[in-house]
Amino acid sequence: MMASEPWQLSPAVRRIPATHSHQVSSSSWRLALPVRSCAGCDVEDSYNSSSQRRDSRSSAHARVLARFLLGGNVLHRWLIHRQVSSKTKKKRIRCIPMADAPPSYVSAKPMVWPRCSVAPEILAHVLPENPDMLRGVLPNGLRYVICRNSTPQKRFEAHLDIHAGSVDEEDHQQGMAHMLEHICFLGSSKRTRLFGSGARSNALTDFQHTVYHVHSPVTSESGRDLLTPALEALQDIAFAPNFYAERIEQERKAVLNEMQQVNTLEYRIETWTLAGLHSENQLGRRFPIGLEEQIRRWSVDECKAFHEKWYYPGNATLYLVGDMPEQEMLSTAKRIFASTPAKKLSDEPAPAWGPQAMDPTSLSRRMLSMPRPKHLHAFTVPQIGTEGDYTAARGDPMRVSPITVIHHELLNNVQIYMYAKAPVRPIRTIEDLRYACLPQLIVSVLRLRILVLLKYGGHNAEVGVDHSDSHREGCAVTSLQVTADSSDWYDVLFKVIQEVRAIVEHGITEGEFQRFSSALQRQAEKDALEAGSMSSEDLITHLMSSDTFGHAVMHPRDVQDTNSKIQGTLSLEEVKPTAEWMLGFLAHFGREGAAPPSAVVACMPTKTYDDAEGKLVELPRVTEEALHRMLRDVPSKDVSEALNPVEIPEALCPEESLQALLGSNYIDRMRAYLAGARRVDPDTGVVQLRLPNGARVNYMHTKNASQGSLRLLFPGGRAAEPPGKLGIAALGARALEDSGTVADFTNQQVELFAVTTGLCVEIVSDREHIRVDSTYPVSQKESLGANLQLLHLLLREPSWEPSTFERAQQACKSKWQEVFGSLELATEEAFLSAMYPNDKRVLMPSQEQLSQLGLSEVRAFTEQIMFNEVDHMEVSIVQDFEMLGRALSPATGKAQRLTNAEGEEFTDEEHKSEIARFRAHAERATEEDVWRFLGSVERSKTEVGRPEFRAFESSGLLEDNSKPRRVHLQDPEERAVAIVGGSAPNNWGLGDARHSDCMMQKGFSWEWDASRPSLTSHKLFPSVCMLLLKTIIAGRLNGTLREGLGLVYSVKFELSLFNVLRGGWFQAIVSSHPSRIHEALQAAKKVIMDVKHKPISAHEVASARQSMQRRHESDLHTNEQWITLLSHLQTENTQKDVSCIRDVLDVLQQVQAGDVQNAYKALTVDDQLFEAIGTQGPASKLR
């Protein structure tokens, strides 16, 4: 994992399969959401790899309906758009013949829904559409959707959606839609006019869409309008591309390289699950990446023919959102696109909007005058709220049992996916919205119940539960995923199915219903408060997804009011039939008249590591029949066991407990202390103080979100691990997180307390730290206090249970096993082992190392890091203090405009004054809560000091390092990854001992230019120079290896940039075919070394500077970025201070090409380069 730069957010994004949303983990107090997207090309001034945009776009997809319909609880299933090669397709899985399947696979009983007590006229009330949204159709058939949005300011998003994807391909065209995306996007001359403007462009292909999009400032730095050239570029890309033979050959190579890159095990698991879920239509077979043998032989004319058939205005929609007047955006769009000729296919034009414009027989896509290919679903349950409505999208019933089992040698745990498909219910009325809320309530209850079961049972497992609409598949899907150890999966699956059955058969308790209904309402209120800060990227994604099913698009001001009406109409009696509809396919599996699952896909490992034998051993094969019997024969719980209420504490740390620690008259003493302890930076607004126990506090006001963020940072992590105790930091943090409780409270009590107060807590160990990250709703005034109570008890009375420790130990061992299933991880381990042969702390701890660690020593080490000397702890808080002030002031309620005591509306000056008063009140309340709950923790618990914090020491270029380290993974598919790199300084320009010796011999100095001492001596100067260098080298690598030589689809250049540790590394990572990996590695090495002979130009620095500035300005709209900025401001052994926040853009603007060229000397390119090559395929011979 790479450490964050001092001022740039670099979150580690956890990959979660795209087929579920809510992720239940036995190892956390958190809810993880999926991040997945499918970008094909990405350009920011010059070409950048699509992988740089892979995560950010899909997180927007996951949030869109949350803000506008259901208060954050509906998450769309977003599908990756690639396909494995034809070799993978040959791996067929046997299914149970129909004759052996139970009768439930033939027909299911009709649904019976309870009679609703709400008046019919209320249920039929139509949801209000956003009046500020412009929708229409140009004379040539191009649809447009336009909306003004000022987040981020002075920027816009333009997306041109061609309603054609892989399912529109004929049998001999598999991969053509994706190939056309590359040809059109990179074959446009007008797109190059955006280079250097700060605009970014990209493209993606999925089952039924090809989308080209531009993200741009409204004007350039010189004041030039950018909307016009952006729309001209989109028009040129889609409707006037150049089909040059040279360009087609270049993109053919790029697509084939991309095919190699994406063909990971995770991707293949997704294709296997989709093949099971959609076995009755092309969604289960026609993946956008296509077939290699077909891609290699397409001619120019064949590419043109596909373009002529699908690329025309009547099959496209322009979505335009930005900080500009709607009419101005519309007039520009008309001027540019109106001249594109129409394609007349019929005398009767197809309808453009509403339900009549949707083709239910082809994934609910826009109806065309010509027929689309039919794609029907074998729905197993009807549309929610109906007794038997399957819509016109229903195809033939399933003819085989949907259970499939796949065994694969690279899997290290068991993954079982269970699905049921239903028709989507468009959300147009109050009744529709009610039916959308109920499944989310059930998902929340089931998630918590399973989480508690996993923790109490000592299971190292994760369970994902979701019900959502997928506009890319044209259906609604209920999904449940179980991931567990190979030794434990049966017990985990047994308990999960039993809990599902308990909710279906007995419902939920009154307390659960009230608690989670309130949570839905609080989430709706939070999202309504955040609606004004919804990014244009999120908004445009919401518009596109809502357009598919005809969902209402409400104005932010209508969202909270509508959701308030909904919550009061839901009843406990409706939960059980909704659970029956949603989860009956699992609860009644194999029973007469039960709805069958659409698919059950089990991915099984073939081997596991045996601790006793110290090696991998073969696992017995799991059959479809055995899995069928297991799902069918799970017994039910009785009603008393299923409905067992839990007492939820009102507070974890009541006032009398604090008085026992602080004394009964501590209030005056506290306020006097705080009055003299705080320091405020007038330029940034950052507030700093130290508590009586020595703990350091930073906090900052932002208006980015209604969620507050809090971080406890403890220097330590892997760097503090003593010899012979490798992995002890990671295991300690995981054990604390797995416990899920503190003091004498049960795990379930703490989980429910967190649900009630909206808390989310995560404990993480990395190479430099152990940290506790938490979020909480600012609008809920008691949430920050509840958060601090939990942290207070975590610091004073942590829970260390043997069963929790064993589960955490097994989870860490599973992480080590992942190395054997991931080519990227295995290659990186090989690279780091070459660079640090005598320091194993940089590597993943092994099974043997973890097995040697006991609970008592792990507890002692972790408590020395986190609890023994609190004066090393740094607390950082980022939240909207004005919003908190409103919540703390009962007189204001939820009013957006304040009034005085007589009810008269305040003037602007009075309004500002009152808001300032709110903020000051909230800041005082926050400081007092921090003082009480964190300042009351003992300064030191024992006489034992903190573990020694030691830098990682790199090696010289040893004789056995003169050749690349090699690893090979056995697999039917061939892939290769190579890494070349060496030593680099940390964020502050400081290296480890060997790096420092190299720099001394070179005579290297950051203060190389005596004419600019104020710049070169600035604390940010080294990191800014290194980040500019990183951007420039990445651009050169992409330009040479991808564009010039066609050796790779993407290449990355990374820097570790530690904050506390001295030294670190740089590395170039290339992915290619095994037959080309040596050439790609040498080419990457040459590009890096040639920087010495081809100096960095002023133009390259200007382009990189603009890219970094735009990214920094965009990141400032997130609390995560501000938490990163505040972190380390008061940490010992770092040079960071408030100037590292205040002066970012100033330093960035002053850095010149000579400074970046000098920074290149800080890389040990000439002294020591280390190489590693990882291959994957059926043979161990490296070609």
Side-chain angles (χ1 to χ4, degrees), residues 7 44 180 322 390 413 479 560 583 661 784 859 961 984 1181:
W7 55 273
E44 181 175 356
L180 258 290
Y390 289 91
N413 52 31
S479 62
Q560 183 174 349
L583 299 168
L661 290 170
L784 176 59
R859 176 177 181 173
N961 285 332
K1181 182 178 179 181

Side-chain angles (χ1 to χ4, degrees), residues 155 258 342 705 941 987:
R155 292 189 71 88
E258 183 180 358
K941 289 187 175 182
N987 261 323

Side-chain angles (χ1 to χ4, degrees), residues 129 133-138 141-146 161 163 313-314 316-320 330 349-359 364-368 428 542-551 553:
E129 291 277 0
M133 181 177 61
L134 300 180
R135 292 196 299 190
V137 184
L138 298 184
L142 178 71
R143 299 195 311 167
Y144 59 82
V145 181
I146 298 174
D161 185 356
H163 302 292
T317 304
L318 174 67
Y319 298 90
L320 192 52
L330 177 58
W353 307 103
Q356 68 275 15
M358 295 160 38
D359 185 352
S364 300
R365 292 187 290 173
R366 182 185 176 186
M367 190 81 70
L368 296 180
R428 307 289 304 176
H542 169 66
L543 295 174
M544 294 174 71
S545 58
S546 298
D547 196 19
T548 299
F549 296 119
H551 293 320
V553 178

Side-chain angles (χ1 to χ4, degrees), residues 985-1168:
N986 67 7
N987 261 323
W988 320 111
L990 303 175
D992 60 22
R994 185 169 296 277
H995 180 274
S996 298
D997 289 342
C998 291
M999 295 303 105
M1000 185 178 298
Q1001 293 173 17
K1002 287 182 180 182
F1004 173 80
S1005 172
W1006 289 105
E1007 299 182 32
W1008 72 287
D1009 187 348
S1011 66
R1012 298 176 297 152
S1014 62
L1015 173 65
T1016 58
S1017 63
H1018 196 288
K1019 296 175 180 180
L1020 272 181
F1021 180 70
S1023 64
V1024 170
C1025 290
M1026 294 300 291
L1027 289 170
L1028 285 167
L1029 178 66
K1030 170 186 172 182
T1031 304
I1032 292 167
I1033 293 181
R1036 288 190 179 186
L1037 287 167
N1038 269 303
T1040 301
L1041 274 70
R1042 185 190 188 282
E1043 293 290 304
L1045 301 175
L1047 291 172
V1048 300
Y1049 177 68
S1050 72
V1051 56
K1052 296 184 290 185
F1053 186 78
E1054 296 181 345
L1055 295 165
S1056 57
L1057 291 180
F1058 293 121
N1059 280 296
V1060 180
L1061 290 169
R1062 286 174 171 254
W1065 54 84
F1066 70 91
Q1067 52 184 206
I1069 307 170
V1070 299
S1071 301
S1072 188
H1073 190 271
S1075 62
R1076 299 188 295 272
I1077 195 63
H1078 272 299
E1079 185 181 359
L1081 176 61
Q1082 293 306 312
K1085 186 175 177 180
K1086 185 176 186 301
V1087 169
I1088 295 172
M1089 299 186 73
D1090 278 354
V1091 176
K1092 181 177 181 180
H1093 309 292
K1094 298 178 181 179
I1096 290 165
S1097 68
H1099 174 75
E1100 287 179 306
V1101 172
S1103 178
R1105 178 189 296 120
Q1106 189 172 60
S1107 174
M1108 288 176 56
Q1109 180 176 338
R1110 299 293 186 191
R1111 185 166 60 247
H1112 176 64
E1113 290 171 346
S1114 176
D1115 288 345
L1116 290 179
H1117 292 284
T1118 66
N1119 281 0
E1120 293 86 354
Q1121 171 71 345
W1122 278 106
I1123 279 287
T1124 302
L1125 290 172
L1126 293 182
S1127 297
H1128 302 292
L1129 282 181
Q1130 299 188 66
T1131 302
E1132 293 180 351
N1133 302 319
T1134 71
Q1135 299 186 24
K1136 190 173 184 179
D1137 59 23
V1138 177
S1139 70
C1140 296
I1141 299 176
R1142 181 186 61 233
D1143 300 339
V1144 168
L1145 296 181
D1146 182 49
V1147 173
L1148 183 60
Q1149 291 300 322
Q1150 293 185 61
V1151 171
Q1152 301 173 3
D1155 300 319
V1156 183
Q1157 189 70 38
N1158 181 64
Y1160 172 73
K1161 298 176 185 178
L1163 306 181
T1164 58
V1165 175
D1166 297 329
D1167 306 276
Q1168 42 182 298

